[in-house]
Amino acid sequence: MTDTKLIIAFDSVHQALALEEICQDGRIIPLPTAISAGCGFAWATSHIDEVYWKQYLEDNQIKYEKMAVMEI
């Protein structure tokens, strides 16, 4: 069974871990092969509002590389 998730990819594992430290709305996953990024980890969340996440990450000074909605 697949679910629609917003995937946030990072250029650094430090950014992924920083998000994990402050957020409970998702989890770290291995970077899906359909996305290329500098880090081998990504954040997966069911909350797929990209505008919300862009603002949340900016407010918390967490840099991301890419966002994509996909079935995982």
Side-chain angles (χ1 to χ4, degrees):
M1 183 170 157
T2 61
D3 288 323
T4 301
K5 302 283 186 189
L6 176 68
I7 306 301
I8 304 171
F10 305 93
D11 62 354
S12 162
V13 69
H14 301 289
Q15 299 301 317
L17 294 173
L19 182 56
E20 181 181 50
E21 221 174 272
I22 63 168
C23 186
Q24 299 298 312
D25 189 9
R27 64 186 175 95
I28 290 180
I29 63 167
L31 185 67
T33 56
I35 300 174
S36 64
C39 173
F41 295 101
W43 186 258
T45 179
S46 296
H47 185 181
I48 58 173
D49 183 349
E50 289 183 48
V51 173
Y52 166 85
W53 281 105
K54 286 176 183 180
Q55 188 64 52
Y56 183 86
L57 294 168
E58 182 180 324
D59 290 348
N60 289 284
Q61 300 176 345
I62 297 174
K63 295 182 174 144
Y64 68 96
E65 193 168 328
K66 297 178 183 176
M67 285 189 194
V69 176
M70 54 191 323
E71 298 287 324
I72 61 169

